[in-house]
Amino acid sequence: MAAGDSGGWDFLDWLGPDTSACIFHRLDDPADLAHAAAVSRSWRQFIIVNGFSKRLCLRICPDLACFTRAAEVTKSPPSPAAHASGASHDTEKEHRIYSNLCGALVSPKPSANCIRDCICASSTDRFKAERMQNTLDPREVVGIRPSYWSSKGQDDPDVPESLTYRLCSDLCIVDEIRIRPYQESFHDHHPIFSSKMVRFRIGSNGDGNHQRVIADGNYTSPVFPMLQENMLQSFKLPRPVLCIGGVVTIELLGGMQKGIDDMYYTRKMGALTSRLYRKYQNIFR
């Protein structure tokens, strides 16, 4: 352990900067890095100067590498002393920003639903009864009517369908998406209209064109199998994904169930869940 700041030997001095940097770089939990920074002023300064909080944040969420700078949003203007300190103030500020974001990325707190509204569906069978907006309500029945979205019928089960949603911030962290397939209760055998597979495109090019929004996400997930069960199914992404542009497209791949007209339909209820950090909405550029 390092000695106090009043004198004595320091572990960092004994190992040297290169070996010490290799050790700190191996820390993969933000809590461990925070504990190390609290050991002494020299340890804290070493962590800040070498940008270990930013490095760890980029390992957890590589999408952050696309930003060239980060600005700290505060309720009061910076003090004259902060302006006078120059580069040291900038590194301290960057350390605080990425330390907070690191902690948020690995936080065990429950995820928050960040979907705001619907942008478009690839097709809709009977508008308004089966429109996409029905997927925003988790209830299976609203009033006296079943609540679900339905695609148009297709002869080919491999014709994909998609639903594109706007999130409540242009900058969100998405780590999980949940979908509930729709089960008809008014037909024999109570068929479930799920797709075979599902894939997610996250992010937007920001030009407002719906077709390009669907095609140009900054992240495309692996293809996940979907169960043919009337339950909220969770699809955990391989890593937290920074959604730049606040748009998520759910691609439903492969029809599983025919309707009474012998056509394939994909119907679903669902909600998109992500970890949303509002205070980071306007700090990255």
Side-chain angles (χ1 to χ4, degrees):
M1 294 182 64
D5 295 308
S6 59
W9 66 276
D10 192 309
F11 187 73
L12 298 182
D13 294 334
W14 185 59
L15 286 180
D18 293 339
T19 303
S20 299
C22 289
I23 293 173
F24 280 112
H25 187 65
R26 289 181 177 274
L27 297 178
D28 56 7
D29 189 325
D32 292 338
L33 199 59
H35 292 155
V39 168
S40 68
R41 282 196 293 267
S42 63
W43 281 43
R44 176 177 172 80
Q45 187 62 20
F46 186 77
I47 289 171
I48 291 173
V49 169
N50 286 277
F52 288 117
S53 291
K54 182 177 180 179
R55 294 185 188 186
L56 179 56
C57 211
L58 292 175
R59 291 210 307 271
I60 297 172
C61 185
D63 308 290
L64 289 167
C66 67
F67 294 106
T68 57
R69 66 184 180 90
E72 190 173 33
V73 178
T74 60
K75 295 182 179 179
S76 58
S79 64
H83 284 298
S85 61
S88 62
H89 171 68
D90 291 339
T91 54
E92 175 78 30
K93 176 188 66 178
E94 187 174 80
H95 169 73
R96 286 195 301 269
I97 290 171
Y98 284 102
S99 292
N100 290 334
L101 185 54
C102 262
L105 286 171
V106 300
S107 172
K109 293 181 179 179
S111 299
N113 184 12
C114 69
I115 192 168
R116 188 179 75 189
D117 53 40
C118 302
I119 295 179
C120 63
S122 54
S123 72
T124 300
D125 190 25
R126 293 186 300 136
F127 192 84
K128 299 180 178 177
E130 298 173 333
R131 62 181 179 171
M132 179 185 177
Q133 281 75 7
N134 292 339
T135 66
L136 302 182
D137 194 319
R139 294 174 294 176
E140 293 190 55
V141 177
V142 177
I144 60 173
R145 298 183 61 89
S147 178
Y148 61 88
W149 161 80
S150 175
S151 67
K152 289 186 177 296
Q154 299 285 350
D155 292 321
D156 183 357
D158 293 328
V159 173
E161 298 286 348
S162 65
L163 299 172
T164 300
Y165 296 93
R166 178 78 63 186
L167 305 185
C168 53
S169 172
D170 287 338
L171 192 63
C172 298
I173 300 293
V174 179
D175 65 348
E176 181 181 32
I177 296 175
R178 300 174 183 176
I179 301 173
R180 182 176 183 175
Y182 175 69
Q183 182 174 19
E184 285 192 347
S185 59
F186 47 87
H187 285 166
D188 293 340
H189 310 299
H190 306 297
I192 298 174
F193 289 84
S194 68
S195 60
K196 293 179 181 178
M197 313 288 284
V198 63
R199 180 171 57 202
F200 310 104
R201 296 188 185 273
I202 297 174
S204 167
N205 63 356
D207 67 359
N209 183 304
H210 289 174
Q211 296 302 318
R212 289 181 60 79
V213 163
I214 294 173
D216 293 343
N218 57 283
Y219 173 84
T220 300
S221 78
V223 175
F224 298 94
M226 181 177 283
L227 301 176
Q228 198 170 15
E229 295 183 14
N230 179 28
M231 59 180 289
L232 193 63
Q233 299 181 30
S234 175
F235 301 95
K236 189 79 172 179
L237 300 181
R239 60 172 175 82
V241 175
L242 180 67
C243 178
I244 304 170
V247 173
V248 170
T249 294
I250 299 173
E251 296 183 320
L252 302 164
L253 310 173
M256 294 281 288
Q257 183 68 50
K258 288 185 176 182
I260 57 175
D261 57 0
D262 206 34
M263 303 281 279
Y264 287 95
Y265 291 83
T266 303
R267 306 182 181 187
K268 75 110 181 169
M269 296 175 55
L272 181 145
T273 300
S274 79
R275 294 181 177 177
L276 169 62
Y277 309 106
R278 290 182 179 275
K279 68 179 181 179
Y280 294 104
Q281 181 173 356
N282 296 312
I283 66 171
F284 291 101
R285 295 290 184 269

